Amino acid sequence: MFQIHSIEEILSPFKTPSALSSYARGKLSRVPGDVIGILDAMQRLAGHKLAEEMIFVNDEGKGLYHDYPDLAPLAVGIAVNGQGESWLMDVKSGKIAIFDHGSGDTYPLEMDFWQFLRLADLIGQYERAENTDGIYEAMAQIDIELLENYPFEL
């Protein structure tokens, strides 16, 4: 059975913060909402994964932005999946999207950072589960539109 954990439960294993680049801190400080909470979470999660598809990163303004410079003022990278996609946060809306490096396409998920953390935790549970029944119902608890917007097959 899948559980939607609280943010505190999700972050509790990651007690030691790491330093975020000034680039990441600057971009994250422009995101609407709980900036201090987001900065704290990203400092604790950078370099760690909640799921194979969600490895949290310290965006240093390199790589992705060299190939796609138009993204630089619009988004901050928060995670990668190791398959050529990046999870981005729009700096104006705080909404999460996935960016496909191969095609250059962005797929908005219409969820905020905290919903994304819950999704990452849920996907991690899915990856470790022997019985995957109920995953779609759990995803709908995070966001009813997530099933329509999530770009990967489960």
Side-chain angles (χ1 to χ4, degrees), residues 48-59:
H48 299 284
K49 64 182 172 183
L50 293 178
E52 294 298 325
E53 295 180 4
M54 287 109 166
I55 305 161
F56 287 81
V57 296
N58 176 12
D59 189 340

Side-chain angles (χ1 to χ4, degrees), residues 9 43 48 56 82 97 104 108 114 116 124:
E9 290 172 313
Q43 287 178 86
H48 299 284
F56 287 81
W114 306 114
F116 177 72

Side-chain angles (χ1 to χ4, degrees), residues 99-120:
F99 179 76
D100 183 331
H101 291 243
S103 69
D105 293 328
T106 302
Y107 303 95
L109 294 181
E110 298 303 322
M111 65 173 38
D112 66 21
F113 179 75
W114 306 114
Q115 290 170 307
F116 177 72
L117 282 187
R118 286 186 174 98
L119 174 63

